[in-house]
Amino acid sequence: QVQLVESGGGLVQAGGSLRLSCAVSGRTFSMFTMGWFRQAPGKEREFITAISRSGGGLYYSDSVKGRFTISRDNAKKMVYLQMNSLKPEDTAVYYCAADYEPPSVVVGPYDYWGQGTQVTVSS
């Protein structure tokens, strides 16, 4: 059984930074494409960023490009999301997800999901 556990969420002022972490257990981590998604109240879950198995392929939504950075450590079975220049519209529950296939920007292909971590950005 694959388990994903996010951490690092919290309350931050606009312009601040947070670093989210996602720990993966249960299967060979290097088999997975990893992605981060977020869901604000009343909205659909949206793609933010994804990273390929090797870490060489990086994908970002336009809304976070230049502000957020995804990375992974295959030895530690961890994926990270560094979030800088945060805005109130970044407020959401953030989820990490694992996929056996190449990176996707949609929710459907991802096989495993974490429980989410709340990020709140105050103005």
Side-chain angles (χ1 to χ4, degrees), residues 43-60:
K43 295 187 177 181
E44 293 187 352
R45 194 167 297 188
E46 66 167 335
F47 168 81
I48 299 173
T49 180
I51 187 168
S52 62
R53 297 180 184 95
S54 68
L58 305 176
Y59 307 83
Y60 294 96

Side-chain angles (χ1 to χ4, degrees), residues 63-104:
S63 62
V64 306
K65 195 174 297 181
R67 300 188 298 122
F68 290 12
T69 304
I70 189 172
S71 61
R72 66 188 294 161
D73 186 331
N74 284 353
K76 294 182 178 179
K77 300 183 179 181
M78 297 289 294
V79 62
Y80 306 99
L81 181 64
Q82 178 66 43
M83 306 186 294
N84 298 328
S85 301
L86 283 161
K87 305 174 182 179
E89 51 263 44
D90 294 318
T91 295
V93 177
Y94 284 68
Y95 299 89
C96 70
D99 184 1
Y100 287 110
E101 300 299 326
S104 173

